[in-house]
Amino acid sequence: MPGWVLPRRQAIGQRIRSTREHAHLTQEALAGATGLDRSTIIRIEAGSSSTFLDHLLLIAGALGVPLADLVRE
């Protein structure tokens, strides 16, 4: 994997975490709203693993923000 991928993945995870916290949602609440496991939310927010586009779409929908807000650079 090229060296630029991990920092970008981590930046997306941080934006998701910030948006979730701004919405006053816990990781458990976001997991429940998306149908994803809390462990999946944790990994996505940490940027420790890649995620599926479908997961990002579910998260954006649950947070009420456009997907572009989460993945912008």
Side-chain angles (χ1 to χ4, degrees), residues 14-61:
Q14 180 56 47
R15 279 192 291 280
I16 291 170
R17 179 182 301 112
S18 295
T19 305
R20 174 183 58 75
E21 290 172 347
H22 186 263
H24 304 290
L25 291 175
T26 63
Q27 290 173 332
E28 293 86 2
L30 182 56
T34 60
L36 301 172
D37 295 330
R38 179 172 176 253
S39 60
T40 300
I41 299 297
I42 291 169
R43 286 191 307 272
I44 292 170
E45 286 187 354
S48 62
S49 66
S50 63
T51 186
F52 296 108
L53 177 59
D54 292 352
H55 292 174
L56 293 175
L57 291 168
L58 288 168
I59 291 169

